[in-house]
Amino acid sequence: MWWKIALLLVFAINQSLTTSFDLRGVINGNRMAGVPLGMSLGAGELDVEGICIRSGMACQNCTVSITCVPLPVGWLKVPLEECKDGFTCNAGLGKCSKDAAPECEASARQFQHTCEQVGIFPDAYDCRKFHLCSPPEGLPDGRPADHRAALCPRHYGYNPQTAQCSIKLQNGQCSEKPVPECRSIGQNGVLPSSSNHYYVCLIKNQTLYPQIFICPHGWHFWGGFCQPEPEPKQNPVVTPESETNKETKESSEENSGKEDTVKTSTYKIDNFFSTEKVATYAADTFLADKFDLSNYETTDDVQPSQSDDFFNSFENDNDFW
Ligand SMILES: *[C@@H]1O[C@H](CO)[C@@H](O)[C@H](O)[C@H]1NC(C)=O
Ligand SMILES: *[C@@H]1O[C@H](CO)[C@@H](O)[C@H](O)[C@H]1NC(C)=O
């Protein structure tokens, strides 16, 4: 008999929870289990997104700051403030600030990665974001690669060296941009986080922005080119300033036509602007974590083949996430 009563109790508790709270998160996270009965959530909400890792201020996103309150199990997030125009949520400073985290800068939010090559690329501004560029379906001539952008699971940044979201972020925000600031057209260099990737500063839509490329065959970018060998270690460590000097020196050398003397195993950067089809990959080859898709946020700007289908599939996507 007692077990029936217990069962009833469990059922009743479940029901009361269902009426009081939005239970969507429980289904995948089960983070609700520890909410004490009778505790009012007030203006707060259970942190089913996993934003909170300690009590106190945190950023819901670039515009909304919250306060995290520990519960016996899990966290309550209480909205703190919506940042005013020109201010963004900065978890390091603990408030809305004019000093933006790299991914919250206006340029970062406007930036759109262009697929110039097939592959997987870090975002130039947002350390949490990566771009999947796959060969267009049916390989029609002249069509650019299909593009899909994805965000790493919360609190992790994208590591271009391993193509995984493995860099633990402080306060859930980036501490630096993946690419140095563009100051002039043609400025280029290796990405600090991967010797296989390099950036070139280009003008697009009247704005100077960095385009990230990847060296073929696992080659390494140094000395202004993709080269089969990694940069020799005995080179003195270059500071960002001396690197800039080196870059300008190299580009002036190039202008005076000295690149003819470069050995044949090196490539001119311009070669990589070609959209030559490299290889085909299965659609999910690069999704390291394909069994945990709910951790990834994606934006997909693959061109619809029939415009009628577009909204339907988009809605279905939303349902899925
Ligand atoms: C930030 O989060 C708030 C609250 O969830 C939401 O209303 C707002 O749209 C988000 N802003 C952005 C830019 O995603
Ligand atoms: C070009 O830039 C303007 C503002 O700078 C923006 O509104 C527009 O959407 C951009 N166009 C493209 C294709 O990126």
Side-chain angles (χ1 to χ4, degrees):
M1 201 57 194
W2 59 270
W3 61 269
K4 278 191 181 166
I5 295 165
L7 211 68
L8 266 175
L9 268 176
V10 168
F11 189 67
I13 290 166
N14 269 342
Q15 281 231 314
S16 73
L17 282 176
T18 318
T19 50
S20 327
F21 309 119
D22 181 351
L23 278 184
R24 274 174 304 183
V26 183
I27 293 150
N28 41 40
N30 196 23
R31 288 177 202 167
M32 283 273 308
V35 179
L37 290 173
M39 178 160 178
S40 163
L41 296 184
E45 252 178 66
L46 286 155
D47 176 31
V48 290
E49 297 141 291
I51 300 167
C52 297
I53 43 171
R54 70 176 84 85
S55 62
M57 186 270 187
C59 292
Q60 161 100 23
N61 54 32
C62 285
T63 51
V64 174
S65 70
I66 57 164
T67 301
C68 296
V69 180
L71 295 171
V73 176
W75 298 89
L76 186 65
K77 63 182 172 85
V78 183
L80 203 58
E81 93 181 279
E82 194 163 327
C83 300
K84 292 191 292 279
D85 245 9
F87 288 72
T88 58
C89 188
N90 187 319
L93 299 175
K95 57 179 183 190
C96 289
S97 166
K98 283 202 157 150
D99 191 2
E103 71 272 28
C104 294
E105 284 173 17
S107 51
R109 297 206 245 175
Q110 281 153 21
F111 174 69
Q112 299 205 330
H113 181 89
T114 309
C115 283
E116 298 275 3
Q117 290 175 297
V118 165
I120 180 167
F121 300 88
D123 189 81
Y125 290 90
D126 188 338
C127 73
R128 308 163 308 163
K129 204 175 193 181
F130 56 98
H131 299 274
L132 300 153
C133 298
S134 54
E137 215 173 310
L139 302 174
D141 274 339
R143 232 187 92 176
D146 287 339
H147 174 216
R148 178 173 291 206
L151 264 188
C152 285
R154 252 175 219 282
H155 303 294
Y156 285 90
Y158 178 72
N159 181 354
Q161 196 74 72
T162 57
Q164 291 183 70
C165 293
S166 57
I167 298 172
K168 191 97 175 75
L169 300 180
Q170 283 211 326
N171 307 311
Q173 289 190 315
C174 303
S175 44
E176 51 198 33
K177 280 191 245 180
V179 172
E181 196 81 45
C182 271
R183 301 193 189 282
S184 58
I185 303 173
Q187 174 192 332
N188 64 76
V190 67
L191 291 206
S193 51
S194 164
S195 66
N196 304 119
H197 292 79
Y198 62 99
Y199 71 94
V200 181
C201 295
L202 307 168
I203 291 273
K204 196 177 84 172
N205 197 11
Q206 277 126 45
T207 327
L208 188 63
Y209 81 104
Q211 176 73 42
I212 295 178
F213 296 90
I214 190 165
C215 289
H217 325 305
W219 290 9
H220 305 267
F221 189 88
W222 56 279
F225 300 97
C226 286
Q227 312 199 28
E229 316 297 338
E231 186 170 15
K233 280 244 165 63
Q234 63 266 31
N235 280 10
V237 177
V238 284
T239 63
E241 204 168 347
S242 66
E243 193 157 34
T244 315
N245 292 340
K246 199 178 83 186
E247 276 161 11
T248 42
K249 207 180 102 222
E250 271 153 11
S251 56
S252 61
E253 272 173 10
E254 211 172 288
N255 289 343
S256 57
K258 280 190 187 158
E259 77 263 42
D260 291 351
T261 60
V262 173
K263 56 183 183 339
T264 51
S265 63
T266 59
Y267 280 72
K268 257 197 99 187
I269 294 159
D270 290 356
N271 291 352
F272 293 99
F273 286 87
S274 81
T275 46
E276 190 181 40
K277 284 147 208 147
V278 187
T280 32
Y281 298 96
D284 58 0
T285 302
F286 297 115
L287 257 187
D289 200 3
K290 63 181 167 185
F291 298 111
D292 195 7
L293 289 173
S294 61
N295 277 334
Y296 292 86
E297 230 176 82
T298 67
T299 51
D300 196 350
D301 52 35
V302 173
Q303 290 300 307
S305 45
Q306 286 168 3
S307 49
D308 281 349
D309 290 337
F310 181 63
F311 290 105
N312 283 337
S313 66
F314 192 72
E315 273 167 23
N316 290 345
D317 274 359
N318 271 348
D319 284 349
F320 181 70
W321 301 117

